[in-house]
Amino acid sequence: MHGADSWYSAGGAECDVVLSTRVRLARNLANFPFPAKLRESDGERIQSIVTDAFNHLEDAGSYHISSLDGVNPLAIRIFQERGLLKPDYSEKECGIVLCNDGKISCTINTQDHIRIASFSPGFDFDSAFSRAHEVDEGLQRSIQFAASYDFGYLTSSVMDCGSGLKLSVRVHLPALSLLGRIASISGELCAKGLGFSASYGSGSQGSSLGAFYQLYSMNSTSGTEFDQVATLAGACKKLVEAERAARDECMKNRLSEVRNIMYRSVALARYSMFVPLRESIELISGVKFGKEMGFLAGIEDSTIHGLLYNVQEAHLEYMRKSGDFKFEKDIASDDAKKIERLRALILQENFEDIVLSV
């Protein structure tokens, strides 16, 4: 499970605010019903066709193809934590294709017959789109996709018809959150037809847990692929500028609050025996905020971004089952406490070199 996770621990453009970029293309095979209406024989046939198409790509050896029927439930949960499968995924002759470097994944027979997802660290639509487009073109040499002159690519959702393209970025907005400006920003983005939501669920007072948010396109029907990328990229750049301006404002007017967030995050992470998942997201956020404000040294954004995946429940469960960890006797029979203990140890290991620069 660790071989293809390096992409989100790599550096990227604008990584003080933008953690990652995702490009997704939805495609369906001609002459087959959408997945929700598939017969079992159709599902098997589509998996066979898509598998054969991937095996004919120039870099076919870079891809690993699996039927999700044969994947254990823990692996399914890890795929969901990494955004490769939807939280409401249900098995129905589905498959998954993973590239060795983790930057490309493809689901088979989920919402659409094929969904190609491409990931990049930081703010990088060019690379993410280029990789997805390359796979799309390669598959089209073997597969005829459902499309029409009037509507473009045909998909299970009307909002995905046209280009079949959906774009998203994960951003960290602690200063805008501290200044109480998230609601107005969300309204402005929604007025432009863009989506804006919490990445890890709601935090206190209606904000996003850890001030991590997703900015994403809502539909694929209007404009060209270039237009759609340009629209979301432009909105993301403005959001980056707004967060940086808010950080300058916090430095001038809310310095004690920023320091409190930072100090508490480091202290709780270093000296806690058990850390619940929700608390760990807040602690990671606080450390990133302190680091970007220049108050902390000894840790890189790549480490912080990797932790957001490595503290998740299924990832830790995999580590617990595959490793030889020695837990305290009083939690030896409590699997939930073992996970919280392991999460605390991971945070401590990654935060051990942090030094305060103020």
Side-chain angles (χ1 to χ4, degrees), residues 192-258:
K192 295 178 181 178
L194 300 175
F196 186 72
S197 62
S199 290
Y200 299 104
S202 296
S204 60
Q205 299 177 343
S207 63
S208 173
L209 188 66
F212 294 104
Y213 292 88
Q214 295 286 133
L215 171 64
Y216 52 94
S217 57
M218 293 291 287
N219 72 76
S220 307
T221 59
S222 59
T224 65
E225 292 173 337
F226 176 83
D227 294 331
Q228 292 166 18
V229 172
T231 296
L232 195 69
C236 184
K237 288 178 181 178
K238 290 183 179 179
L239 196 56
V240 169
E241 292 169 359
E243 171 62 20
R244 288 174 179 164
R247 292 177 185 181
D248 290 340
E249 188 173 338
C250 286
M251 184 72 80
K252 295 176 182 177
N253 303 323
R254 308 288 285 270
L255 185 56
S256 294
E257 291 174 80
V258 174

Side-chain angles (χ1 to χ4, degrees), residues 270-322:
R270 280 183 170 171
Y271 300 110
S272 294
M273 289 289 291
F274 306 104
V275 180
L277 174 59
R278 287 178 60 84
E279 185 177 45
S280 71
I281 300 298
E282 295 281 12
L283 299 182
I284 293 167
S285 172
V287 168
K288 181 169 174 61
F289 193 16
K291 185 258 182 189
E292 304 303 351
M293 296 289 279
F295 296 148
L296 297 179
I299 190 167
E300 299 299 325
D301 281 316
S302 57
T303 299
I304 296 170
H305 298 176
L307 278 172
L308 289 168
Y309 292 85
N310 296 336
V311 299
Q312 298 293 324
E313 295 283 333
H315 178 85
L316 292 176
E317 181 67 14
Y318 175 81
M319 288 185 63
R320 185 184 71 80
K321 289 183 174 180
S322 60

Side-chain angles (χ1 to χ4, degrees), residues 166-177:
K166 186 169 184 178
L167 308 156
S168 66
V169 288
R170 177 169 291 171
V171 294
H172 187 224
L173 308 175
L176 288 169
S177 298

Side-chain angles (χ1 to χ4, degrees), residues 113-190:
H113 295 150
I114 299 174
R115 285 196 165 191
I116 304 163
S118 176
F119 303 88
S120 287
F123 179 57
D124 187 3
F125 281 113
D126 289 344
S127 296
F129 180 78
S130 177
R131 284 191 300 269
H133 186 63
E134 183 178 350
V135 173
D136 181 38
E137 283 195 325
L139 294 178
Q140 292 201 47
R141 288 194 284 269
S142 302
I143 300 174
Q144 181 182 355
F145 289 141
S148 77
Y149 181 80
D150 293 324
F151 297 105
Y153 291 106
L154 304 180
T155 59
S156 60
S157 169
V158 173
M159 301 300 283
D160 286 333
C161 288
S163 66
L165 177 67
K166 186 169 184 178
L167 308 156
S168 66
V169 288
R170 177 169 291 171
V171 294
H172 187 224
L173 308 175
L176 288 169
S177 298
L178 183 59
L179 296 174
R181 295 176 185 166
I182 293 298
S184 62
I185 285 175
S186 177
E188 292 172 6
L189 292 169
C190 290

